[in-house]
Amino acid sequence: MTGMMDWQGRVGDVWAAEWRRTDRSLADLSRHLDAAIATVAPEQGHALDIGSGAGATSLALRAARPGLRVTGADLSPGLVERARTRAVDGGGDAPHFICDDALVVAEREGPFDLFVSRHGVMFFPDPVAAFTRLRSTAHDGAVMVFSCFDDRARNAFATVADEALGTPPTPVMGYQPGPFAFADRDEVEDFLTRSGWHTESATQVSFDYVTGEGDDPVEDALSFLSRIGPAARGLAEAGADERARIEDRLRAALSRYRVGDQVTLPGSAWIWHLRAGA
């Protein structure tokens, strides 16, 4: 399970180093998410990007709504530094990025008219408490749009890792923070309803998860998945011989998804559109 200390340390550092490849892997999903956000985003007011990472969603929102004040919050110093650099490079009245717990930022910087997140909300230890705190910092009628992974079985970056590691994932009993914690639509809607949010829509989106490209996209994909995702931990914990066997199995699995100069894995996510209830 990935926790707060991981994002503040090792995991956050890896994601900061790999921001270009993670943005690439989620670019097709971001296209859907950014469009969903732009459809409901106000022209003015204040928006919070929860788990803003290297800044892609905040920057896209700021470009779509130049009159909107955008604040991004993330636990990783490395990711926040990267987001700030990208914001400065973009010029203009850029988003403001803060290295802190998004819930703390919300309570300190609010109230907000819009909340957004690209895969940043699945790591709350207590989602009802977290979304209740966010609701308390929202103007009445404020909107939230976020994406989260669908079921593990519908995301090949996870299933190819399971195949290569040779062990099925440990069954999850009850809610546990992590990449697939928000996969169950009914469970998530219950969390949100109890937190004071009204569901406008929850849309299942299929997308292309690009893991490798270039002259040798399979090796690029192998390198990426050795750093990010479910295969990374198993490879890190394996001895030299077992690591080589896992890499061979992963390489073979990824080769099946190569088309030209890309390795593209099928992915599935939810995009939620919420409104702060009375």
Side-chain angles (χ1 to χ4, degrees), residues 21-22 24-28 207-213 221 224 262-265:
R21 292 200 288 189
T22 55
R24 178 187 70 187
S25 70
L26 295 172
D28 191 35
F207 67 98
D208 292 334
Y209 188 93
V210 178
T211 55
E213 62 184 7
F224 177 58
Q262 283 193 336
V263 173
T264 301
L265 306 179

Side-chain angles (χ1 to χ4, degrees), residues 70-102:
V70 180
T71 297
D74 200 278
L75 290 168
S76 166
L79 283 168
V80 170
E81 181 181 358
R82 174 53 57 190
R84 288 171 176 166
T85 300
R86 295 175 75 185
V88 170
D89 290 346
D93 187 10
H96 176 50
F97 293 101
I98 300 173
C99 185
D100 205 345
D101 185 332

Side-chain angles (χ1 to χ4, degrees), residues 38-213:
T39 298
V40 299
E43 294 291 339
Q44 296 183 328
H46 194 184
L48 177 66
D49 184 357
I50 302 162
S52 50
T57 303
S58 290
L59 292 167
L61 174 57
R62 188 66 182 79
R65 293 291 186 273
L68 186 65
R69 179 184 169 201
V70 180
T71 297
D74 200 278
L75 290 168
S76 166
L79 283 168
V80 170
E81 181 181 358
R82 174 53 57 190
R84 288 171 176 166
T85 300
R86 295 175 75 185
V88 170
D89 290 346
D93 187 10
H96 176 50
F97 293 101
I98 300 173
C99 185
D100 205 345
D101 185 332
L103 301 178
V104 174
V105 173
E107 291 169 340
R108 186 175 65 231
E109 304 288 330
F112 291 92
D113 305 281
L114 174 67
F115 300 84
V116 300
S117 184
R118 188 187 74 180
H119 283 33
V121 300
M122 307 97 73
F123 301 95
F124 291 129
D126 184 338
V128 174
F131 280 94
T132 299
R133 288 175 68 182
L134 291 172
R135 173 63 185 91
S136 73
T137 72
H139 283 126
D140 287 343
V143 174
M144 181 183 295
V145 180
F146 69 80
S147 65
C148 56
F149 281 121
D150 192 5
D151 190 85
R152 183 187 188 95
R154 298 189 182 96
N155 285 280
F157 76 90
T159 58
V160 297
D162 297 340
E163 179 183 338
L165 294 172
T167 56
T170 303
V172 176
M173 303 301 293
Y175 173 82
Q176 289 186 22
F180 302 104
F182 274 35
D184 186 320
R185 184 199 186 284
D186 293 339
E187 182 179 50
V188 173
E189 184 160 21
D190 177 62
F191 293 157
L192 298 169
T193 300
R194 288 194 282 143
S195 306
W197 293 91
H198 171 72
T199 301
E200 299 281 338
S201 64
T203 305
Q204 205 170 26
V205 176
S206 297
F207 67 98
D208 292 334
Y209 188 93
V210 178
T211 55
E213 62 184 7

Side-chain angles (χ1 to χ4, degrees), residues 7-43:
W7 285 111
Q8 290 173 319
R10 178 187 57 82
V11 173
D13 290 345
V14 170
W15 278 68
E18 291 289 348
W19 73 272
R20 288 184 177 85
R21 292 200 288 189
T22 55
D23 273 6
R24 178 187 70 187
S25 70
L26 295 172
D28 191 35
L29 172 63
S30 295
R31 176 174 62 87
H32 295 281
L33 176 63
D34 293 343
I37 293 170
T39 298
V40 299
E43 294 291 339

